[in-house]
């Protein structure tokens, strides 16, 4: 018998009640993915699996799907309300295909002309990127789909991305590279954050305690899902201990 000990009007209490009934093995299972794009469920407690879909130009699923304009084209409109409308349409597509979390938007700045993800991101201006980011996330999440802001942080090259080290002074990090992520958390209430492949100041982002736990969770108050990008976890224990 499953005892929730809380109503649907008390989601935090419901979560705590479920956690109290889970075994250590079940809790650990929730930390890893399954079937490439899902989070395991716990059938005995009525916890369903959570299905993710890649983005950010639409729902990446089997079969035909709508492809929307690239992020740089959306940013070029200077129109946060249009970003919200696009977010809603993508969120509707995601939900219609039985997915719960969209791995978008990508919000890193354009810093290298040959960067392979420039088409996905929202340009080189941190203020503009933040405004478009907030609109997009609000649109997606209005459709009861969790958005994922990525790639946290300073992921500005696809070349050797698993070994690249972004070394930034604190002011540049705060004023240029972080504003879109901060707005996603504080203004849009984004449901998930995805860490990047690269290192920042000598430490891989999936285990960067100063930024993952210290900045994102403690300073900004982020309480959602912090996930690694696919094959960007280098030390599972250090990642867990870093937030």
């Amino acid at each position: 018998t499953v005892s929730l000990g809380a109503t649907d009007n008390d989601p935090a209490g419901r979560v705590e009640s479920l956690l109290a009934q889970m075994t250590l093995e079940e809790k650990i299972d929730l930390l890893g993915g399954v079937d490439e794009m899902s989070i395991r469920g716990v059938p005995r407690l009525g916890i369903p699996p959570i299905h993710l879909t890649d983005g950010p130009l639409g729902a990446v699923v089997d079969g035909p799907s709508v492809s929307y304009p690239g992020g740089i084209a959306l940013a070029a409109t200077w129109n946060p309300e249009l970003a919200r409308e696009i977010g809603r349409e993508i969120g509707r597509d995601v939900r219609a295909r039985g997915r719960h979390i969209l791995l978008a938007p990508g919000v890193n700045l354009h810093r290298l002309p040959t960067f392979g993800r420039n088409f996905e991101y929202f340009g080189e201006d941190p203020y503009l990127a933040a405004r478009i980011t907030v609109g997009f996330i609000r649109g997606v999440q209005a459709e009861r789909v969790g958005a994922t802001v990525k790639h946290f942080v300073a992921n500005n090259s696809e070349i050797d991305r698993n070994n690249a080290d972004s070394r930034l002074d604190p002011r540049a990090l705060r004023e240029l590279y972080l504003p879109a992520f901060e707005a996603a958390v504080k203004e849009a209430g984004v449901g998930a954050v995805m860490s990047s492949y690269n290192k920042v100041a000598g430490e891989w982002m999936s285990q960067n305690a100063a930024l993952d736990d210290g900045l994102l969770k403690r300073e900004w108050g982020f309480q959602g899902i912090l996930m690694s990008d696919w094959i960007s976890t280098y030390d599972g224990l250090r990642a867990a201990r870093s937030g």
Side-chain angles (χ1 to χ4, degrees):
T1 301
V2 178
S3 175
L4 294 180
T7 68
D8 287 338
N9 294 325
D10 179 21
R14 186 166 185 263
V15 167
E16 291 301 321
S17 178
L18 288 168
L19 283 173
Q21 299 175 73
M22 291 172 64
T23 66
L24 178 60
E25 289 76 13
E26 288 170 336
K27 292 176 182 178
I28 292 173
D29 277 347
L30 285 182
L31 297 179
V34 63
D35 300 330
E36 294 190 356
M37 295 295 287
S38 298
I39 300 171
R40 290 175 176 84
V42 185
R44 73 177 188 87
L45 295 178
I47 300 174
I50 298 173
H51 301 298
L52 300 83
T53 176
D54 211 348
L57 308 187
V60 182
V61 295
D62 294 335
S65 186
V66 177
S67 179
Y68 293 85
I72 185 57
L74 182 57
T77 69
W78 294 76
N79 190 335
E81 188 54 41
L82 179 59
R84 184 171 186 147
E85 291 180 24
I86 293 292
R88 286 196 72 128
E89 292 301 323
I90 294 177
R92 189 176 293 116
D93 288 350
V94 171
R95 186 160 49 83
R97 288 162 171 78
R99 305 303 199 269
H100 309 103
I101 295 177
L102 171 69
L103 302 180
V107 305
N108 283 296
L109 298 182
H110 291 188
R111 279 293 174 264
L112 187 68
T114 57
F115 181 36
R117 289 183 182 267
N118 278 346
F119 74 99
E120 295 182 0
Y121 293 160
F122 296 144
E124 63 180 0
D125 182 86
Y127 181 78
L128 173 62
R131 295 305 94 210
I132 299 297
T133 295
V134 170
F136 184 91
I137 291 170
R138 286 176 173 169
V140 171
Q141 297 192 159
E143 293 298 318
R144 294 180 289 122
V145 169
T148 306
V149 68
K150 63 184 189 182
H151 300 83
F152 186 70
V153 59
N155 181 65
N156 300 107
S157 174
E158 290 291 272
I159 299 171
D160 198 27
R161 64 185 181 183
N162 290 83
N163 297 297
D165 188 1
S166 298
R167 293 186 173 270
L168 311 164
D169 68 73
R171 182 175 179 181
L173 183 65
R174 290 276 185 173
E175 295 185 1
L176 298 175
Y177 295 86
L178 288 174
F181 291 98
E182 185 173 7
V185 172
K186 292 183 176 181
E187 296 182 50
V190 71
V193 174
M194 178 185 286
S195 67
S196 54
Y197 288 90
N198 55 283
K199 300 175 184 177
V200 171
E203 186 62 89
W204 278 295
M205 277 306 305
S206 57
Q207 58 196 54
N208 195 311
L211 293 173
D212 294 339
D213 188 49
L215 178 77
L216 179 64
K217 292 190 171 184
R218 296 181 184 273
E219 182 179 331
W220 292 354
F222 177 66
Q223 296 183 333
I225 299 170
L226 174 57
M227 69 179 82
S228 64
D229 202 342
W230 277 226
I231 66 170
S232 74
T233 301
Y234 306 94
D235 185 319
L237 185 57
R238 290 186 67 184
R241 287 174 171 171
S242 300

